[in-house]
Amino acid sequence: GYIKKLDQFELTRHMDILGWDNYPAPVHEPSLVALKLDLMRGLKGGQSFMLTEQSPNQQNWQPYNKLKRHGEVRRLSYQALAHGADTCLFFQLRQSVAGQEKFHGAVIAHSGRSDTRVFGECKKLGAELKKLGDVFIGARTKASVGILFDWNNWWALENSSGPSKDMDYLETVRKFYKPFYDKNIPVDILPFSSDLKGYDLIVAPMAYMMKDHLSDHIHAFVAQGGTLVASVMTGVADENDRCVFGAYPGPLKDVFGLWVEETDALFAGETNEICPVGGGTVRTCSFLCDRIRTDSARTLAVFGQDFYKGEPCVTVNDFGKGRAYYVGTLPDDDFLSEMTDHICRNLGISPIYPSSPQMELTCREKETDSVIFAINHSSEEGFVDFGDQKVTDLLTGNVLTGKCPVPGNDVLICKNQ
């Protein structure tokens, strides 16, 4: 999930089964953990994977190794299962008495006792997993949204001398992923080599390198009716990290209907404004600002400050049967949420079920079963609304319908009837 130095798309072409270790830091947002899990599921085209390691309690190698709070290991376990894991394994059973990981958490701590909080929580989880059985093993996630991701692109961007030292590819991908996560809209993480067929919406944050026929795939996808969203630093270099001649975004200029004249780098903490054309809420942006020259593209928002005030910031272009949005900066979360809302409404892409804001919902499907995971990441009670549909709570056997409460820090796992 965070092995930057290893191209996992390339590695896993030679593997039958994927396994990875889930060790989020206490400060990591649930959306980042979910993104990494979806990335693992995407490495072999949606195939499920193994959660081979997680800690029953704190780790020992992070700067500050906080205890997992009540119910946290259960929520993290079900989050992994919700996003495609078929196993729920732990390191370690008994805590080591020596060596580098002697303070790493374990089901059985140095005390050797079974009447501890951690042992009790793991025992409860084990009983629940036994009750669930194989109901979702091998099940897949259906998504109409794909986000492009590439390791070579990651390395090239962050090893570049300019235009800014603040390149953070994974964080930028997470920012564009988060609105879909918040709205409980399933997402597939796709390599640049994907042909993109079968998706309604493709998001390409900082698709800097045009490699693996990406330009051809994007042209075909949009021309045939797909919707594309891309950001600043798109279409800048070829597969050998050689910058394109003829202006950015290189071979995608016709798809976006524009060209980029210059790119301004903002200092850390410096911002500009995104001002919607025709009025609306002004939002902030940061990091980089493109000076965009439009050809066929329509301007949706302009910059609000600096010498390029009033110049295009966000555009849309009709290309073939589809359309392409270009975001020539790094917007704040509010803007990305609003833009995602607008695009998804136009495409008829909706959440799995209505729910309260703190709920994370996923659905894994097999030929005979569909299993819904509802995870409450807040200490406050939340809800999921099944409408007229009837579902069975797999942990209690109760039949549920309508608006169902989910206690704080709890989970609900249901099967469609």
Side-chain angles (χ1 to χ4, degrees), residues 72 90 101 119 137 182 244 286 290 305 366 375 391 407:
E72 186 176 354
F90 291 93
E101 294 188 302
F119 189 95
I137 300 300
D182 288 343
V244 301
S286 59
D290 280 341
Q305 298 175 1
K366 293 200 292 190
I375 304 170
V391 299

CSV table of all heavy atoms in Angstrom, one decimal, residues 72 90 101 119 137 182 244 286 290 305 366 375 391 407:
chain,number,residue,atom,x,y,z
A,72,GLU,N,-11.1,-0.3,17.5
A,72,GLU,CA,-10.4,0.1,16.4
A,72,GLU,C,-9.9,-1.0,15.5
A,72,GLU,O,-10.0,-1.0,14.3
A,72,GLU,CB,-9.2,1.0,16.8
A,72,GLU,CG,-8.5,1.7,15.6
A,72,GLU,CD,-7.4,2.6,16.1
A,72,GLU,OE1,-7.3,2.9,17.3
A,72,GLU,OE2,-6.6,3.1,15.2
A,90,PHE,N,-3.1,-11.6,11.7
A,90,PHE,CA,-2.4,-10.6,12.6
A,90,PHE,C,-1.0,-11.0,12.8
A,90,PHE,O,-0.6,-12.2,12.7
A,90,PHE,CB,-3.1,-10.7,14.0
A,90,PHE,CG,-4.5,-10.1,14.1
A,90,PHE,CD1,-5.6,-10.9,13.9
A,90,PHE,CD2,-4.7,-8.7,14.3
A,90,PHE,CE1,-6.9,-10.4,13.9
A,90,PHE,CE2,-5.9,-8.2,14.3
A,90,PHE,CZ,-7.0,-9.0,14.1
A,101,GLU,N,11.3,-6.0,17.4
A,101,GLU,CA,9.9,-5.8,17.5
A,101,GLU,C,9.3,-6.3,18.8
A,101,GLU,O,8.2,-6.7,18.9
A,101,GLU,CB,9.2,-6.6,16.3
A,101,GLU,CG,9.5,-5.9,15.0
A,101,GLU,CD,8.7,-6.5,13.9
A,101,GLU,OE1,8.8,-7.7,13.6
A,101,GLU,OE2,8.0,-5.7,13.2
A,119,PHE,N,-6.9,-9.1,24.0
A,119,PHE,CA,-7.3,-10.5,23.7
A,119,PHE,C,-8.8,-10.7,23.6
A,119,PHE,O,-9.3,-11.4,22.7
A,119,PHE,CB,-6.8,-11.4,24.9
A,119,PHE,CG,-6.9,-12.9,24.7
A,119,PHE,CD1,-5.9,-13.6,24.2
A,119,PHE,CD2,-8.1,-13.5,24.9
A,119,PHE,CE1,-6.0,-15.0,23.9
A,119,PHE,CE2,-8.3,-14.9,24.7
A,119,PHE,CZ,-7.2,-15.6,24.2
A,137,ILE,N,-16.2,-14.5,0.4
A,137,ILE,CA,-14.9,-14.9,-0.1
A,137,ILE,C,-14.9,-14.9,-1.6
A,137,ILE,O,-15.8,-15.6,-2.3
A,137,ILE,CB,-14.5,-16.3,0.4
A,137,ILE,CG1,-14.4,-16.2,2.0
A,137,ILE,CG2,-13.1,-16.7,-0.1
A,137,ILE,CD1,-13.5,-15.2,2.5
A,182,ASP,N,-16.2,9.7,0.5
A,182,ASP,CA,-17.1,10.3,1.4
A,182,ASP,C,-18.6,10.1,1.0
A,182,ASP,O,-19.5,10.0,1.8
A,182,ASP,CB,-16.9,11.8,1.4
A,182,ASP,CG,-15.6,12.2,2.2
A,182,ASP,OD1,-15.1,11.4,3.0
A,182,ASP,OD2,-15.1,13.3,2.0
A,244,VAL,N,7.2,17.1,-23.4
A,244,VAL,CA,6.7,17.2,-24.7
A,244,VAL,C,7.0,18.6,-25.3
A,244,VAL,O,7.1,19.6,-24.6
A,244,VAL,CB,5.1,17.0,-24.7
A,244,VAL,CG1,4.8,15.6,-24.1
A,244,VAL,CG2,4.4,18.1,-23.9
A,286,SER,N,-4.2,25.8,-4.1
A,286,SER,CA,-2.8,25.9,-3.7
A,286,SER,C,-1.9,25.1,-4.6
A,286,SER,O,-2.3,24.6,-5.6
A,286,SER,CB,-2.6,25.4,-2.3
A,286,SER,OG,-3.0,24.1,-2.2
A,290,ASP,N,-1.9,26.7,-13.3
A,290,ASP,CA,-1.7,26.8,-14.7
A,290,ASP,C,-2.3,28.0,-15.3
A,290,ASP,O,-3.4,28.4,-15.0
A,290,ASP,CB,-2.4,25.6,-15.4
A,290,ASP,CG,-1.6,24.3,-15.3
A,290,ASP,OD1,-0.4,24.4,-15.0
A,290,ASP,OD2,-2.2,23.2,-15.6
A,305,GLN,N,-6.9,35.7,-8.0
A,305,GLN,CA,-5.8,36.6,-7.5
A,305,GLN,C,-4.6,36.5,-8.5
A,305,GLN,O,-4.6,35.7,-9.3
A,305,GLN,CB,-5.4,36.1,-6.1
A,305,GLN,CG,-6.4,36.2,-5.0
A,305,GLN,CD,-6.0,35.6,-3.7
A,305,GLN,OE1,-4.8,35.1,-3.6
A,305,GLN,NE2,-6.8,35.7,-2.7
A,366,LYS,N,-21.1,-11.6,-5.3
A,366,LYS,CA,-20.8,-12.9,-6.0
A,366,LYS,C,-22.1,-13.2,-6.8
A,366,LYS,O,-23.0,-12.5,-6.8
A,366,LYS,CB,-20.5,-14.0,-5.0
A,366,LYS,CG,-19.2,-13.8,-4.2
A,366,LYS,CD,-18.7,-15.1,-3.6
A,366,LYS,CE,-19.5,-15.6,-2.5
A,366,LYS,NZ,-18.9,-16.7,-1.8
A,375,ILE,N,-19.5,0.8,8.1
A,375,ILE,CA,-18.6,1.0,9.1
A,375,ILE,C,-18.7,2.4,9.6
A,375,ILE,O,-18.6,3.4,8.9
A,375,ILE,CB,-17.1,0.7,8.6
A,375,ILE,CG1,-17.0,-0.7,8.1
A,375,ILE,CG2,-16.1,0.9,9.8
A,375,ILE,CD1,-15.7,-1.0,7.3
A,391,VAL,N,-32.7,-6.6,4.0
A,391,VAL,CA,-31.4,-7.3,4.1
A,391,VAL,C,-31.3,-8.0,5.5
A,391,VAL,O,-32.1,-7.7,6.4
A,391,VAL,CB,-30.3,-6.2,4.1
A,391,VAL,CG1,-30.3,-5.4,2.8
A,391,VAL,CG2,-30.4,-5.2,5.3
A,407,PRO,N,-24.5,2.1,15.8
A,407,PRO,CA,-23.8,2.7,17.0
A,407,PRO,C,-22.5,3.3,16.6
A,407,PRO,O,-21.8,2.8,15.7
A,407,PRO,CB,-23.8,1.6,18.0
A,407,PRO,CG,-24.9,0.7,17.6
A,407,PRO,CD,-24.9,0.7,16.2
